[in-house]
Amino acid sequence: MLDVCDLHAWYGESHILHGVNFAVPEGEVVTLLGRNGAGKTTTMKSIMGLVGRRAGSIRYNGRETIALRPDLIARVGIGFCPEERGIFASLNVTENLMLPKVVAPGGLDLATIYALFPNLKERAGSQGTKLSGGEQQMLAIARILRTGARLLLLDEPTEGLAPVIVQQIGRTIREIKARGFTVLLVEQNFRFAQTVADRHYVMEHGHVVDMIPNADLAANMGKLHDYLGV
Amino acid sequence: MIMIFGKPLLLLYGQLTLGLINGAFYALLSLGLAVIFGLLNIINFAHGALFMLGAYVAWALLEYLDIGYWPALVLAPLIVGVFGVVLEKTLIQRLYKLDHLYGLLLTFGCALIIEGLARNEFGSSGMPYAIPEALRGPLDLGFMMLPAYRAWVVVAAAGMCLLTWLVIEKTRLGSTLRAATENAKLVQAFGVNVPRLITLTYGAGAALAAFAGVLAAPIYSVNPGMGSNFIISVFAVVVIGGMGSILGSIITGFGLGILEGLTKVYYPEASATVIFVVMVIVLLARPAGLFGKA
Ligand SMILES: Nc1ncnc2c1ncn2[C@@H]1O[C@H](COP(=O)(O)OP(=O)(O)O)[C@@H](O)[C@H]1O
Ligand SMILES: [Mg+2]
């Protein structure tokens, strides 16, 4: 569904991604693992067109998007949930939820979203940033389920959250996978990643250095510990 | 004669009315500035010129095409709004990657050019614009006589402020605008054509200024300096209200107009400076402005 080939990205003068290659097959949950600063977030932002300059090839269902503006990339069917969550303080929960443009038919309707995230319904009128960290993360995921985007980019959705919330996010990811969404997930916590993903790409210094199918993860634990330095 | 704090009541009413009218213009103009500043991060020094342009377009519609006040109240903002769109697309757009200062310099230059052209073409003395038929004559409020046109200006300005506020706070478009003001890149990654939103916002701000200009045409003579007379006070209003705060500019605009009127009654010597005195005090006590977020 998504093919990233020889992707380079720059912030100003600093060259951050040095030829990243990976593929996300339709219907799978695929993770990018790697230490802090490996370039995972930059890869996500490059896919959305949010870095200063990028080169290489990013194809979505065969269509080249490397030269498109961010709004047009979103409209080919990619939903983005940024690392800092990006909940808007001047918008209430409903307004945050309704903000992303519907890009294709087939997104979840509001009733389904509220069934998945009951907290959001209760707090519909609250200011977005008044929610707890976990609720904000739910909101950030929920709002891209509405749009009809079939590929969701989730950048460290579990970061800094309590274990019960992390479990809830795990359930959510399995649920959206069951509904046919494709997910590219950035994680530092591979124990969590293991419970939701089909395959893992490992990033180091702006490169993808390895791919491990989830089924082989147990056999590759030693290698993974080396990569992640845990 | 009834006196209030040693001043005749009628004088007080008279100056309060004038203050309210000035306040109406402050509110309309600073509202447009606030919307533009919020999204574009540009201090639009051309705002006064766009206000003046609105008055001139209304005058020209009447002079050359025999199109009267009421249609002009819609047409002039549309025409100046389109002019704003062109200005943004051809010039202002090039500056977003640079420091704010460049936007300020560019729009200041535009203001000088527009005013210079108007002065060249029509002279500096100014041209009268007749009050529309329906609004001539006084309105008897019981306690005072109020020229009907002045009452209309206050009502129309307050109505337009309310409408703008409703659009920004209560509509889908408004929530997109507020979000883009916070984080334009992310809003664009959600599929919104942000460059177009920015262009249209500048156009809408220009149209608001022109709307104020048409309202002003029958009160002041239509002259090249009418914008710059207002705009310095308006910038002070924006600073006091809090850069980019919508409600702040509306309330502060009306409030300071009234304060100015009161000063004219009780201490006329300070009436030209009272706004700036307030500005200094507010900046010292609350640098983000009365309604601004620090
Ligand atoms: N806005 C930026 N400007 C310059 N350098 C950046 C910026 N954001 C990230 N970097 C650098 O890019 C590298 C990769 O960062 P990032 O993609 O955020 O890593 P990860 O998400 O894997 O932790 C880091 O060395 C970081 O310092
Ligand atoms: Mg990151």
Side-chain angles (χ1 to χ4, degrees), chain A residues 35-42 44 83 155-156 159 186 188:
Chain A
R35 295 185 201 205
N36 248 329
K40 307 180 297 295
T41 296
T42 307
M44 291 280 203
E83 187 169 12
D155 196 345
E156 300 210 31
E159 194 180 6
V186 164
Q188 298 237 20

